[in-house]
Amino acid sequence: MSLRLRAGLITTAVIGAGAVILTQGAAFAASPASPASPASRAPNSHHSPAPASSLRALASQVGLRIGTAIDTDALATQSDYRSIAATQFSTVTPENVMKWDAVEPTQGTYNWAPADQLVAFAQQNGQLVRGHTLVWHNQLPAWLTAAAPSMSPDQLRAILKKHIVDEATHFRGKIWQWDVVNEAFNDDGTLRDSIWLQKLGPGYIADAFRWAHQADPKALLFYNDYNIEFTGPKSDAAYALARDLKAQGVPIDGVGFQTHLDTQYPLPDLQNNLQRFSDLGLKVAETEVDVRTTLPVTAVEQNAQVGGYTSTLQACLAVRSCISYTVWGFGDAYSWVPATFPGEGAAAIYDENLQPKPEYTALQQTLALAAGAPGRADPRR
Ligand code: XIL
């Protein structure tokens, strides 16, 4: 996978230096759903009050959900991780535990427990869940990748349908947004040559949305991809897909823009891009935001990272149908970046010791400014 499309230096947006009073405003009132049964609780979960200066409290003032990907191992074992997850965010995404290899490691034998624990944590903390992801070319179970090449299209189609229906049914009523199809396009806008395209043809995408909708009619169903933040062939292809699915009456509700940025490359024109998808009558979301850089981080690079977080959040705030802004993990110690992009890291908003970085403060100030701006104080999402 190559996320490195863009050459040149990132354009650094400088955040306002004026002091922002972050303690004003109503404290976020957590409204947990009915408690899960004790057996399904994550260990030592508790209701943590979210201070008025938390990201979730500030975001709630402008009707925006602010989210994070969750490493369920860290959630189960580290109280400081759990506390930040509970108090700073109003939606969570399982980083790995709802992926096909995690939920069905052996054909026909489901392992829902880690994902169920995360859903219970979210409910206890008044958070919504982004389900991630039903159809992807990565993190498929070994039994499936081994068997798929010799399967008939009908066999593979039946297996995909069963997977989508079983998973969406298991979590029915508990998922706010599902990433139904993830990363179906190449950077040049052609459809990715996955087992799904090879055996089932491009119609697998519409089928996936229909099957997911049958299983969980209330979940918002999203197409999700990376690099579609940038204008260009990939974004145009996702736009055409979304437009055509809508025109055909396929139950798609939104498009997720992963937004994995790198300080080596320019910032995307995200607001205009979000807006054109929104103009199709779709919701949009930033689903996996992080801003990586080469290590060690210099002051110039960190300033660019701050600019990346600030401008991507501003873009979401500027587009009425942008319903959530989710970071792909909140701590540098848990980020996928160092293992995926050798020599790069420091992409998250908290440091290796879970101390907030200037990137965190940038999000906090951007939300506080939006909450104080005329016309923004009214929650409308
Ligand atoms: C990544 C996880 O963060 C890693 O822990 C895992 O090893 C690989 O997948 N796009 C996506 C996410 O949609 O699911 C990916 O998550 C990151 C890129």
Side-chain angles (χ1 to χ4, degrees):
M1 163 174 56
S2 170
L3 301 185
R4 299 165 186 244
L5 255 190
R6 311 271 155 176
L9 278 175
I10 200 166
T11 311
T12 304
V14 180
I15 62 163
V20 177
I21 299 169
L22 294 172
T23 49
Q24 285 181 346
F28 179 87
S31 53
S34 49
S37 66
S40 67
R41 283 177 189 251
N44 301 322
S45 294
H46 56 280
H47 297 279
S48 312
S53 61
S54 67
L55 299 181
R56 72 181 285 175
L58 293 165
S60 80
Q61 292 190 37
V62 288
L64 179 70
R65 290 273 171 168
I66 186 127
T68 182
I70 293 287
D71 174 336
T72 49
D73 291 334
L75 194 73
T77 56
Q78 293 170 37
S79 59
D80 49 351
Y81 182 97
R82 201 158 48 241
S83 165
I84 293 170
T87 56
Q88 294 293 331
F89 302 98
S90 49
T91 171
V92 291
T93 307
E95 185 170 358
N96 286 300
V97 295
M98 284 188 192
K99 292 172 181 174
W100 197 337
D101 63 348
V103 299
E104 197 182 7
T106 304
Q107 188 170 14
T109 304
Y110 289 116
N111 176 22
W112 305 117
D116 284 347
Q117 283 164 15
L118 178 58
V119 170
F121 175 87
Q123 292 179 340
Q124 287 154 23
N125 290 293
Q127 297 167 317
L128 299 178
V129 180
R130 292 198 84 260
H132 178 80
T133 177
L134 294 171
V135 187
W136 196 23
H137 63 283
N138 274 337
Q139 290 177 272
L140 295 169
W143 60 261
L144 177 60
T145 43
S150 57
M151 282 183 199
S152 71
D154 283 351
Q155 282 175 315
L156 190 64
R157 192 176 142 87
I159 282 178
L160 181 62
K161 180 177 183 181
K162 178 172 164 47
H163 163 67
I164 292 171
V165 169
D166 286 358
E167 180 152 8
T169 300
H170 178 81
F171 294 108
R172 177 166 46 214
K174 298 173 177 169
I175 302 293
W176 180 38
Q177 306 173 20
W178 259 120
D179 286 335
V180 177
V181 177
N182 196 36
E183 303 182 350
F185 288 106
N186 296 310
D187 284 337
D188 68 1
T190 57
L191 279 172
R192 185 187 293 276
D193 189 26
S194 65
I195 55 167
W196 311 121
L197 183 69
Q198 286 167 12
K199 293 258 174 177
L200 310 181
Y204 83 86
I205 297 176
D207 285 342
F209 280 90
R210 292 191 183 103
W211 294 329
H213 182 68
Q214 284 164 20
D216 188 352
K218 290 190 179 155
L220 295 174
L221 304 185
F222 273 65
Y223 175 76
N224 191 55
D225 212 331
Y226 63 88
N227 278 346
I228 61 171
E229 306 82 29
F230 298 93
T231 47
K234 187 172 190 176
S235 174
D236 290 348
Y239 178 84
L241 171 74
R243 182 196 60 208
D244 294 349
L245 291 177
K246 283 283 283 182
Q248 293 158 21
V250 175
I252 181 172
D253 299 294
V255 174
F257 297 72
Q258 292 185 8
T259 321
H260 294 293
L261 302 183
D262 186 323
T263 61
Q264 298 179 77
Y265 309 116
L267 288 170
D269 182 13
L270 192 49
Q271 182 181 331
N272 283 327
N273 219 3
L274 293 175
Q275 188 63 53
R276 70 173 179 150
F277 282 80
S278 167
D279 290 344
L280 291 172
L282 293 166
K283 301 185 189 317
V284 293
E286 292 178 48
T287 55
E288 305 184 14
V289 183
D290 56 14
V291 189
R292 62 188 183 272
T293 192
T294 47
L295 297 175
V297 187
T298 64
V300 170
E301 287 163 342
Q302 185 163 48
N303 198 34
Q305 292 177 295
V306 165
Y309 276 104
T310 303
S311 70
T312 53
L313 178 56
Q314 285 173 335
C316 185
L317 288 165
V319 175
R320 188 182 179 87
S321 60
C322 186
I323 60 173
S324 60
Y325 179 95
T326 294
V327 296
W328 201 242
F330 56 83
D332 282 337
Y334 311 91
S335 168
W336 71 307
V337 167
T340 313
F341 305 93
E344 295 187 71
I349 61 174
Y350 286 77
D351 70 13
E352 299 274 339
N353 301 312
L354 288 180
Q355 296 304 305
K357 292 162 50 177
E359 290 86 338
Y360 169 89
T361 310
L363 294 184
Q364 191 185 37
Q365 294 189 348
T366 301
L367 290 169
L369 284 167
R376 292 294 325 181
D378 209 9
R380 52 185 183 167
R381 292 180 173 86

